[in-house]
């Protein structure tokens, strides 16, 4: 066993590429490494194999119950997203109330992988989160489900208007995935030439995801010399 954590971590990254049971066993043993960074890498490596071996889920869940390091917990919560088990889903949802904003953000993203309305609804309170890391992430996630939560349209529109470029692009893309007239109406103002080029391009691509005849009249002025 190498004495330098960075070296052990590098070996874990490489071993994660091998399908051999012996390689996986080494990754499992690394979950008990004394160094937090090595445990985090082991979790991430094992998470990539979750669909191949259901026992890995139990190992990560057990680790999260005893783990204190935030980076290890982040890797675990991130890796468990979308796993179709009630206990896993509840564990992820519990992290939405964690003291660490990064943990709340990661939990929201992992919970979003389930896509069902009950899971997504648990993310709604994060729109009012005190962290500027968490609330925009919630807005991006919820934009994909705008038709399930039409009462959030004004809040999401506000994030779209006031957010940074990354948040704006995320929300516009999410609205495109929503594939609805409501989403189209929110996207429409961002086609205008008063908006930055990257935002206009994102808005146009998002409209392209909406399979509605009402989209075509919005795109005609982009090609023709017409005033907005």
């Amino acid at each position: 066993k190498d004495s330098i954590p960075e070296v052990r971590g590098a070996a874990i990254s490489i071993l994660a590429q091998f399908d051999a049971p012996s390689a996986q066993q080494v990754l499992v043993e690394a979950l008990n490494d004394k160094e937090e960074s090595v445990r985090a890498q082991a979790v991430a490596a094992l998470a990539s194999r979750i669909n191949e071996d259901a026992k890995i889920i139990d190992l990560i869940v057990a680790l999260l119950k005893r783990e204190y390091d935030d980076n290890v917990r982040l890797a675990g919560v991130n890796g468990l997203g979308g796993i179709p088990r009630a206990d896993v889903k509840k564990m992820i949802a519990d992290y939405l109330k964690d003291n660490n904003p990064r943990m709340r953000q990661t939990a929201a993203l992992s919970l979003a992988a389930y896509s069902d309305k009950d899971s997504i609804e648990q993310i709604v309170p994060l729109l009012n989160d005190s962290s500027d890391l968490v609330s925009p992430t919630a807005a991006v996630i919820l934009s994909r489900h705008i038709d399930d939560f039409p009462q959030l349209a004004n809040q999401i529109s506000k994030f779209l208007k006031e957010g940074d470029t990354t948040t704006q692009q995320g929300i516009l893309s999410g609205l495109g995935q929503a594939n609805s007239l409501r989403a189209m109406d929110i996207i429409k103002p961002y086609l205008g030439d008063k908006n930055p080029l990257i935002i206009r391009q994102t808005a146009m691509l998002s409209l392209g995801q909406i399979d509605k005849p009402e989209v075509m009249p919005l795109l005609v002025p982009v090609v023709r010399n017409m005033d907005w």
Side-chain angles (χ1 to χ4, degrees), residues 69-82:
D69 181 76
D70 279 346
N71 288 327
V72 180
R73 296 194 303 148
L74 284 165
V77 172
N78 180 63
L80 290 174

Side-chain angles (χ1 to χ4, degrees), residues 132-151:
D132 58 8
L133 182 68
V134 178
S135 53
T137 298
V140 170
I141 293 169
L142 292 166
S143 67
R144 306 170 198 154
H145 304 273
I146 191 67
D147 284 344
D148 289 330
F149 305 96
Q151 72 276 17

Side-chain angles (χ1 to χ4, degrees), residues 48-114:
S48 66
R49 298 166 173 249
I50 278 182
N51 293 330
E52 300 172 21
D53 188 347
K55 293 179 181 178
I56 295 174
I57 300 172
D58 293 328
L59 288 170
I60 295 177
V61 168
L63 177 65
L64 285 173
K65 289 179 179 179
R66 67 176 187 268
E67 184 57 58
Y68 61 85
D69 181 76
D70 279 346
N71 288 327
V72 180
R73 296 194 303 148
L74 284 165
V77 172
N78 180 63
L80 290 174
I83 297 299
R85 270 177 38 175
D87 62 325
V88 171
K89 187 186 291 189
K90 182 182 183 305
M91 172 175 276
I92 293 172
D94 287 344
Y95 281 106
L96 293 174
K97 301 179 179 69
D98 197 88
N99 291 329
N100 185 338
R102 289 177 61 212
M103 188 65 69
R104 298 197 298 276
Q105 180 193 42
T106 300
L109 291 168
S110 291
L111 201 60
Y114 290 96

Side-chain angles (χ1 to χ4, degrees), residues 175-219:
L175 291 168
Q177 294 174 48
N179 191 21
S180 71
L181 293 179
R182 181 177 286 107
M184 183 193 75
D185 287 339
I186 298 174
I187 294 171
K188 179 180 175 180
Y190 295 89
L191 289 172
D193 57 12
K194 66 180 180 179
N195 298 289
L197 176 59
I198 187 64
I199 298 303
R200 294 169 64 196
Q201 289 175 320
T202 304
M204 201 173 304
L205 291 171
S206 296
L207 280 180
Q209 293 182 273
I210 298 177
D211 186 23
K212 307 290 181 184
E214 289 84 354
V215 169
M216 191 184 77
L218 299 180
L219 297 178

